[in-house]
Structures are given as C-alpha cells and as structure tokens.
Amino acid sequence: MTEILATAATTPKIGFVSLGCPKALTDSELILTQLSAEGYQTSKTFEGADLVIVNTCGFIDDAVKESLDTIGEALSANGRVIVTGCLGAKTAADGGNLVREVHPKVLAVTGPHATQEVMDAVHAHVPKPHDPFIDLVPPAGIKLTPRHYAYLKISEGCNHRCSFCIIPSMRGDLVSRPVGDVLKEARALFEGGVKELLVVSQDTSAYGVDVKYRTGFWDGKPVRTRMLDLVEQLGRIAEPYGAWVRLHYVYPYPHVDEIIPLMAQGRVLPYLDVPFQHSHPDVLKRMKRPASGERNLERIARWRELCPQIVIRSTFIAGFPGETEAEFEHLLEFMQEAQIDRAGCFAYSPVDGATANQLANPVPDALREERRARFMAVAEAVSAAKLQQKVGATMQVLVDQASALGRKGGVARSYADAPEIDGTVQLLPPSKASKTYKVGDFVRARIVGTRGHDLVAEVV
Ligand code: SF4
C-alpha cells in the first residue's frame, strides 16, 4: 500500500512516497532529513502538499508498474511531482528516460542516491523557508524504520555484472562511503535509541575495494576502509549501548572468514546473509556471480566450526536459463548439506534489460515454479528442524510489538531473525502481571515451541 509520510502541517509542505528496498529507504531518510533540516514540512496527503517526491524502485516489472502508477496518482492529485530512485535512471526502448516518456509532466527526474539533485529540484519549485528549524532535527536524522532498528548503508553501486541483475546499470559501480562517516552515523543512530543496526549495500564484502582500502579516520585514530575493520569498529561502538549489529549481502569470499571470530566473541551478531543464488558451478558461471569459484560447502563448514551458533540466510533462484534437472538436483543436495538456516527462493523472472534474457534454453514457466516449490519443501524441512532444536533454550530477544506493555503478549526477534525477512519469536502473555516490556526492549525468553516459521516463547 502507498503511504504518504507525514509530520506537522505548516507551509511549505512536501508529500513523500518511499517505494523499494532498504537501500532506497536510506535514500528516502537522507532526503527527508535534509528537507526537515531546511524547514520544510511533510504532508499527509498529495492534495495538501506544495509538491510531491516519489522515490521509486525499478528492479522487477511489478515494482516498475507500482512506481509508475504512484507517479500517475501523485500527478493527478497534486500536479507537481519530482521523481527519484532506481526507476528514474531507467531508459525506455528508444533510449529516452522511461519516467519522462510515461509521465511527461513530472517536474524533475533523478536516479538513486541523489539527495542534492532532489533538493535542487525542490528549491527550484518550492523555495526554501526563511528560518530553517535546524535544531529540531534529531542528530540521527529522520528514520523511516521503527525507532529501535535502522539500516546503515555503507556503499552504493556494484562492480559485478550478474547476468540477471540490472542494478549496476541503474546505480553504477561500487562507491564506498568514507569509513569515518559510516562510523559517525552508526554512533549517532545508537545515541538516538537504535538497538539494532542492519548493515546494507549491494556487496558488503567488497567494502573499500574502490578506494583500495584507503585509511580513514575515526575518533582520531586511523581505520582502513575494509569490511573487517568496519565490522570490528561497529562492534566496539555498539557495545556500550548493548546493541546488535547484523550483516547483510555478504559474498562468500575467503576474507569473510576473518569476521567469524568476531561473531563467536559476540561482538556482532552470529548471522550472515549470503545470497548464494545457486550451487552448481556452471549455473553460477552463467549467472556471472561473484565468488562463484569458491568452495561454498567447505566455507560454510569452516564458519560453523569457528562459530557453532552462526545462522546463515540466503536466497536462491530456481529455473535460471539453461538449468538442467541435474543442475537443479545439485542445488537441492547443496541445500540439504549446507543446512541453510533461512532460505528464500525465487522462480527465475526475466528482468527487462538483463543479459540473462539472451541465454539459451530458457526453462518453461511452469517448470521454474515447480522447481521453486521443490526447493522450498527441502528448505522448509531444514528450517523446521533447526527451529525445533531451539525449543528449551533461553535467549535474548528484541521486542518489536508489545500489547498492553507485554501483558497480552508481544512479538520479538532473536539474533537469528532479521526484521521483515525472517521469522519472529511470539511472546506469550506472562504468568506474572509484573513482567512488562515495551517495543525496543531486550528481554530474555525461554523457547517453548514453534509455530510455522516462528518460535513461541515465554519471558523469563
Ligand atoms: S552482486 Fe550481482 S546481483 Fe548483486 S547488485 Fe551486483 S550485479 Fe546485482
């Protein structure tokens, strides 16, 4: 559902719609923070705004349609619309700008990660208020996630050219944020009450490659722009706040082994989101995946040896062009052997502009779906057995929802559950009414059972 983000209602007012992935969400946060810093207000409705900004997603066809429809709605309700985000960078079949061709009345179009361009367009159409309320902006900026967790984007773009993906053509090559800036933002987020930091990028393990792991500065000390150094520092910054640091989009390069001891020591969460996509070397080659030549089963075994409690999340594609039954069975065996704790699977879907569309022997639609279902049956059995092993354990969980201060129960997550993509820990109403908790609290919970992808627990 499209939701207009809002604060108080005085002029000048900007309507803002944020679509797309967590990386797009961080772009939205940067733009909203800047708008607020300059004294603009946000409007609850298209009609009540002086101008509307739509942050779009252009990754799959459904997302393109949703973005174009939202721009259309904003144009008919308001008439003054600025478009930013991935779809803004997309070209139409004749080489022109896709958004401009469909909606020629938009005031301005930018690609992703373009706060300054968006602000320039806003200034051109709705002049800056005279007395900016700079002091009213919290030091951590404006956040779109609940107050207790936040995404931290460490880089933009990607140096790989996976054949099913068009992100590099929309977002460009890897550009790592300066390590000092990233760490400063992390500390501001913890100071602002964030209990869980989710590190995101297109390829977290490649952090710093573009700047040759240059040495930056943090707290007056040199720190290299490198995944290991970044993760070490994030763990240090999080410690006094008792906060969690969770890593997403990590590729299985050998140097990732270096961060596993930090997980074993509890410096960062023992959770790795590694998008393997497939296991068969020929399919990985056709996908042009990073780290496709690595021995992933051995690597996973080594990670589990170094940190037995590690939880591995991954996504896979079934029915990639040319995938044979034998290659698919290789994937099923990999899933079984690797015992991936949390696995998602998509049936291959050709994205407009992706080079994989030209590959020989596309798999028929129905077979792609059938393979996805077969994969998920294996994945769900692995995951259910893993959840069952947790029954009886006591663990720290972070509360996401609490009814009547937890007296009617609540919903929380353990280190094994990233928000929105993994399961949850369903908290039962406590037997003693004195046991209360609120959203954003860490509590200890004893696991008493499972329910689908979730655990059921009582607060202890
Ligand atoms: S690593 Fe591959 S899938 Fe991920 S953003 Fe880069 S090109 Fe796309």
Side-chain angles (χ1 to χ4, degrees), residues 23 59 157-168 202-203 251 275 277 287-290:
K23 283 152 269 190
F59 188 42
C158 179
N159 284 349
H160 304 295
R161 296 295 181 262
C162 300
S163 58
F164 55 81
C165 178
I166 53 167
I167 285 177
Q202 313 295 345
D203 178 358
Y251 287 100
Q277 307 298 10
M287 288 179 167
K288 296 205 165 71
R289 289 296 287 163

Side-chain angles (χ1 to χ4, degrees), residues 144-259:
L144 299 178
T145 44
R147 192 169 175 266
H148 61 288
Y149 68 82
Y151 294 96
L152 178 69
K153 183 154 67 172
I154 61 169
S155 62
E156 184 59 57
C158 179
N159 284 349
H160 304 295
R161 296 295 181 262
C162 300
S163 58
F164 55 81
C165 178
I166 53 167
I167 285 177
S169 68
M170 294 193 291
R171 296 189 164 233
D173 281 342
L174 176 77
V175 179
S176 299
R177 291 182 61 200
V179 68
D181 289 4
V182 174
L183 295 171
K184 188 169 159 211
E185 186 179 338
R187 179 173 285 167
L189 287 165
F190 291 133
E191 278 172 359
V194 162
K195 299 288 178 59
E196 178 181 8
L197 202 59
L198 301 116
V199 175
V200 294
S201 67
Q202 313 295 345
D203 178 358
T204 297
S205 20
Y207 180 62
V209 167
D210 55 317
V211 293
K212 303 197 170 52
Y213 307 115
R214 161 172 81 203
T215 301
F217 282 90
W218 161 246
D219 255 4
K221 292 187 205 85
V223 185
R224 293 190 79 191
T225 313
R226 203 168 64 124
M227 185 192 188
L228 176 65
D229 304 60
L230 175 76
V231 173
E232 260 175 356
Q233 293 301 329
L234 287 174
R236 270 200 196 124
I237 297 171
E239 202 182 351
Y241 302 91
W244 287 350
V245 176
R246 191 185 293 280
L247 305 180
H248 288 281
Y249 313 116
V250 175
Y251 287 100
Y253 297 112
H255 74 264
V256 172
D257 295 5
E258 297 172 358
I259 59 169

Side-chain angles (χ1 to χ4, degrees), residues 54-373:
V54 183
N55 188 6
T56 59
C57 174
F59 188 42
I60 54 169
D61 294 348
D62 282 354
V64 171
K65 185 173 179 313
E66 186 190 17
S67 293
L68 289 173
D69 289 352
T70 306
I71 297 165
E73 272 172 46
L75 275 172
S76 46
N78 182 289
R80 309 176 84 199
V81 178
I82 292 172
V83 176
T84 182
C86 282
L87 186 64
K90 213 166 176 180
T91 43
D94 65 0
N97 181 280
L98 178 73
V99 171
R100 283 203 182 278
E101 291 202 356
V102 181
H103 294 299
K105 289 197 177 142
V106 294
L107 300 175
V109 181
T110 82
H113 205 48
T115 308
Q116 197 46 52
E117 269 179 82
V118 172
M119 292 310 299
D120 290 347
V122 171
H123 297 153
H125 297 282
V126 182
K128 243 197 242 190
H130 290 302
D131 183 19
F133 304 123
I134 291 170
D135 296 343
L136 298 182
V137 180
I142 305 291
K143 291 195 341 73
L144 299 178
T145 44
R147 192 169 175 266
H148 61 288
Y149 68 82
Y151 294 96
L152 178 69
K153 183 154 67 172
I154 61 169
S155 62
E156 184 59 57
C158 179
N159 284 349
H160 304 295
R161 296 295 181 262
C162 300
S163 58
F164 55 81
C165 178
I166 53 167
I167 285 177
S169 68
M170 294 193 291
R171 296 189 164 233
D173 281 342
L174 176 77
V175 179
S176 299
R177 291 182 61 200
V179 68
D181 289 4
V182 174
L183 295 171
K184 188 169 159 211
E185 186 179 338
R187 179 173 285 167
L189 287 165
F190 291 133
E191 278 172 359
V194 162
K195 299 288 178 59
E196 178 181 8
L197 202 59
L198 301 116
V199 175
V200 294
S201 67
Q202 313 295 345
D203 178 358
T204 297
S205 20
Y207 180 62
V209 167
D210 55 317
V211 293
K212 303 197 170 52
Y213 307 115
R214 161 172 81 203
T215 301
F217 282 90
W218 161 246
D219 255 4
K221 292 187 205 85
V223 185
R224 293 190 79 191
T225 313
R226 203 168 64 124
M227 185 192 188
L228 176 65
D229 304 60
L230 175 76
V231 173
E232 260 175 356
Q233 293 301 329
L234 287 174
R236 270 200 196 124
I237 297 171
E239 202 182 351
Y241 302 91
W244 287 350
V245 176
R246 191 185 293 280
L247 305 180
H248 288 281
Y249 313 116
V250 175
Y251 287 100
Y253 297 112
H255 74 264
V256 172
D257 295 5
E258 297 172 358
I259 59 169
I260 309 298
L262 297 176
M263 296 183 169
Q265 292 156 20
R267 309 282 290 277
V268 294
L269 290 181
Y271 177 102
L272 260 192
D273 175 8
V274 189
F276 287 112
Q277 307 298 10
H278 211 280
S279 62
H280 196 285
D282 295 343
V283 181
L284 289 169
K285 228 175 260 164
R286 291 201 294 279
M287 288 179 167
K288 296 205 165 71
R289 289 296 287 163
S292 62
E294 305 299 337
R295 297 179 158 152
N296 289 335
L297 277 178
E298 286 166 32
R299 172 133 291 122
I300 291 168
R302 174 100 186 107
W303 293 344
R304 291 221 165 97
E305 207 178 285
L306 293 168
C307 179
Q309 69 273 37
I310 195 167
V311 160
I312 299 170
R313 137 160 288 278
S314 191
T315 47
F316 296 89
I317 297 175
F320 188 74
E323 185 189 61
T324 62
E325 178 61 23
E327 287 168 346
F328 175 66
E329 278 170 16
H330 188 279
L331 175 60
L332 292 185
E333 273 164 37
F334 172 84
M335 179 62 218
Q336 193 65 260
E337 249 188 89
Q339 293 279 298
I340 302 292
D341 303 71
R342 309 279 193 185
C345 183
F346 299 97
Y348 175 71
S349 146
V351 173
D352 222 11
T355 57
N357 301 344
Q358 276 109 53
L359 290 171
N361 303 321
V363 176
D365 273 0
L367 187 54
R368 286 183 222 162
E369 267 309 322
E370 184 198 305
R371 286 184 181 165
R372 189 198 68 83

